[in-house]
Amino acid sequence: MTRMPNSLAARDIAYHLHPYTDAAKHEADGPLILTSGKGIHVFDENGKSYVEGLSGLWCVSLGFGEERLVEAAAKQMRKLPYYHTFAHKTSDVTVELAERLIKMAPVPMSHAFFCNSGSEANDTVVKMVWYYSNALGRPNKKKIISRIKGYHGVTVASASLTGLPNNHRDFDLPIANIMHTECPHHYRFGKPGESEEDFATRMAESLEAMIQREGPDTVAAFIAEPVMGAGGVIVPPKTYFEKIQPILRKHDILFIADEVICGFGRTGNMFGTETYKLQPDIITVAKQLSSAYLPISAVMINKKVYDVIRDNSGKIGTFGHGYTYSGHPVSAAVAIETLKIYEERNLLAQIRDVAPVFQKELRRFADHPLVGECRGVGLVGAIEMVKNKKTKESFDPKQAVGAHCIGRAQEHGLIVRTLGDSVAFCPPLIITKDQVVDMFARFEKALEETAAHVKANGLQAA
Ligand SMILES: Cc1ncc(COP(=O)(O)O)c(C=O)c1O
């Protein structure tokens, strides 16, 4: 592609190393440069508009251009643009946000610890769990079990929790004491004829076998997203968490719910914890906490965990962990405003009204010859394309069928993300029914063009 040497695209290629991007391909293809947004739409440098079908990265819940959030940030910037929370200091808005979070938590929680991203929150959790075990005089109880295809971030410990190969490969991860149990994706890993319930039993038995193999005295915690996001939008099979949780309790293993995507309405309840009746000891939230207008995340811990951390920090003289921007007042002010908007506009009612249309539209592709599975809950879902609908065989990743499909979608003014050959949908929570229909109509064009591409190149089984 030719481009002006001083264009934004050329400068981006020259100076910017992108996250989650093939840098070599980027030099050839260049970036898509977005310059503004309004509601569920974003606009590129040429003025072309796109439906943001993934809310950015599963985060811009209130859409683009929410003036109240802009105002909340500006007001706080003028009043107190920065203060920290080390050594007994805090700001008024940080106190208010902590209280709000603890009071709205889906299960009794005691205290909130602030960070800046989902990764930092989960990294903090790993350290808290180790601190907790040491404080209790259980130095061997340190292992944390995560799940294959789980996504918990990219910092050293959180990337270790993440169960996706590209987050480990050539990074020398995972670190010690982190292991991955099976992925509870019934469509992919269920045996022929196995019911969701039987599959869930098998997943729970497999987890228990791992705990026994490792030694229950060495396993400190289990972490799970209520709905696995970046692993492919994997909704738990029926009775999964019902069967997992007693095993954790039996072996005195802390349960960490990573609500970074599910938190604040995505699954049709305020938290995925409610949707799947979880009883976590620790909950991490980020993304929709501030509608992504500013970076902020939080770790909520229950009294059992808090009391141990309190006593141990009392013994040592500090809880030696925290970030310059933990509880940043501008981020906190924006988060408070976001939570107020959720409440005042009764966003949950709006989500519950729109979700059935979203799920119906998503599932109308189930019979398409290229589609293996349509799955989702609330306002999140995925459509998985397969080489062979009967055997569920996947395409060779080198054929990049998913990437082709989202490329076509982009042409039709829809930004979505491909996770393998699954196309994920996670629009802003403010999306209307008509906009849902429009979003899937754009996807339909992309899917048909992908089907034609697959056929023309002989990629699908006869
Ligand atoms: C469930 C979950 N946990 C953690 C993270 C990491 O968050 P961040 O990218 O803010 O570090 C993500 C990001 O997508 C996520 O989906």
Side-chain angles (χ1 to χ4, degrees):
M1 192 184 279
T2 50
R3 51 176 69 87
M4 300 293 286
N6 61 350
S7 66
L8 276 173
R11 283 149 60 205
D12 181 70
I13 290 168
Y15 300 117
H16 182 195
L17 176 64
H18 284 248
Y20 275 107
T21 299
D22 172 342
K25 189 167 185 290
H26 191 69
E27 286 193 4
D29 295 358
L32 171 67
I33 301 173
L34 289 318
T35 52
S36 64
K38 190 84 198 144
I40 67 159
H41 295 95
V42 288
F43 302 87
D44 71 15
E45 56 179 341
N46 302 312
K48 178 172 173 179
S49 103
Y50 303 84
V51 172
E52 226 321 333
L54 206 86
S55 308
L57 291 173
W58 330 78
C59 52
V60 188
S61 45
L62 294 175
F64 299 84
E66 174 51 66
E67 279 302 319
R68 279 182 61 178
L69 300 185
V70 178
E71 273 309 305
K75 202 169 133 207
Q76 186 59 41
M77 281 258 188
R78 289 191 194 99
K79 196 164 161 258
L80 182 69
Y82 171 75
Y83 216 77
H84 64 84
T85 50
F86 285 23
H88 311 282
K89 311 285 192 306
T90 192
S91 69
D92 50 355
V93 280
T94 310
V95 176
E96 189 181 333
L97 180 60
E99 183 181 18
R100 265 184 184 269
L101 276 176
I102 294 305
K103 287 189 172 164
M104 75 186 291
V107 291
M109 285 284 151
S110 174
H111 282 70
F113 183 95
F114 292 110
C115 318
N116 307 288
S117 66
S119 299
E120 279 183 13
N122 288 323
D123 240 73
T124 293
V125 167
V126 170
K127 288 180 71 182
M128 280 180 172
V129 166
W130 290 344
Y131 194 81
Y132 173 85
S133 280
N134 285 327
L136 288 174
R138 311 194 295 204
N140 293 326
K141 202 167 171 74
K142 293 285 168 56
K143 291 173 188 161
I144 303 179
I145 300 180
S146 178
R147 300 178 299 172
I148 293 167
K149 295 201 183 195
Y151 190 84
H152 303 291
V154 294
T155 48
V156 171
S158 69
S160 297
L161 294 173
T162 292
L164 295 167
N166 285 344
N167 296 106
H168 296 166
R169 187 174 168 183
D170 291 349
F171 289 116
D172 292 0
L173 297 175
I175 54 172
N177 281 333
I178 291 180
M179 49 213 48
H180 299 87
T181 187
E182 287 183 75
C183 174
H185 187 184
H186 180 251
Y187 170 77
R188 265 282 143 238
F189 305 114
K191 292 182 177 160
E194 189 177 36
S195 70
E196 278 191 46
E197 287 86 346
D198 288 347
F199 175 63
T201 303
R202 186 156 63 78
M203 292 296 100
E205 285 170 358
S206 169
L207 172 67
E208 178 137 42
M210 176 180 263
I211 294 167
Q212 292 297 359
R213 240 181 0 259
E214 297 295 328
D217 293 348
T218 71
V219 181
F222 171 78
I223 183 165
E225 303 150 81
V227 175
M228 299 168 90
V233 188
I234 299 162
V235 177
K238 287 187 199 106
T239 71
Y240 175 75
F241 283 114
E242 209 176 286
K243 288 167 179 158
I244 294 282
Q245 293 185 100
I247 297 169
L248 304 177
R249 277 195 289 276
K250 181 164 118 194
H251 297 294
D252 195 11
I253 293 170
L254 295 171
F255 181 21
I256 306 152
D258 180 339
E259 292 262 13
V260 168
I261 287 181
C262 295
F264 310 106
R266 183 55 65 183
T267 63
N269 291 297
M270 198 45 97
F271 293 93
T273 289
E274 294 159 271
T275 305
Y276 298 107
K277 300 188 173 50
L278 311 184
Q279 287 292 326
D281 300 286
I282 300 176
I283 296 175
T284 52
V285 290
K287 297 191 189 271
Q288 300 194 138
L289 170 56
S290 62
S291 187
Y293 276 43
L294 281 176
I296 184 164
S297 64
V299 178
M300 290 189 266
I301 53 176
N302 66 10
K303 187 166 169 3
K304 172 169 125 176
V305 176
Y306 170 72
D307 283 354
V308 172
I309 291 180
R310 178 199 57 207
D311 292 349
N312 205 48
S313 73
K315 197 173 91 191
I316 297 172
T318 187
F319 177 57
H321 179 75
Y323 306 94
T324 299
Y325 304 126
S326 284
H328 192 291
V330 183
S331 300
V334 169
I336 292 167
E337 197 65 10
T338 304
L339 299 181
K340 280 186 186 162
I341 294 174
Y342 291 161
E343 210 176 287
E344 285 167 25
R345 294 194 193 150
N346 199 354
L347 205 68
L348 267 187
Q350 137 103 7
I351 294 164
R352 287 174 188 165
D353 186 41
V354 175
V357 177
F358 176 90
Q359 293 297 330
K360 192 169 155 228
E361 282 288 306
L362 179 87
R363 281 160 222 274
R364 79 182 167 85
F365 299 98
D367 292 334
H368 193 282
L370 201 55
V371 172
E373 187 189 33
C374 303
R375 52 184 180 262
V377 61
L379 285 181
V380 63
I383 294 176
E384 180 164 344
M385 294 178 291
V386 287
K387 180 173 179 180
N388 189 323
K389 200 172 170 82
K390 254 195 223 124
T391 65
K392 305 182 187 176
E393 186 190 349
S394 300
F395 287 105
D396 179 342
K398 285 196 207 89
Q399 293 168 340
V401 172
H404 182 89
C405 185
I406 64 158
R408 296 316 307 154
Q410 199 162 299
E411 283 294 312
H412 297 296
L414 169 65
I415 296 181
V416 276
R417 191 158 161 215
T418 177
L419 311 163
D421 289 326
S422 293
V423 178
F425 298 84
C426 184
L429 300 175
I430 56 163
I431 195 167
T432 64
K433 290 176 191 170
D434 285 350
Q435 287 173 331
V436 166
V437 171
D438 172 57
M439 178 174 79
F440 283 107
R442 290 169 195 244
F443 171 73
E444 187 165 21
K445 289 186 200 158
L447 183 67
E448 288 314 334
E449 288 166 6
T450 306
H453 163 80
V454 163
K455 197 167 171 207
N457 291 281
L459 304 181
Q460 197 165 30

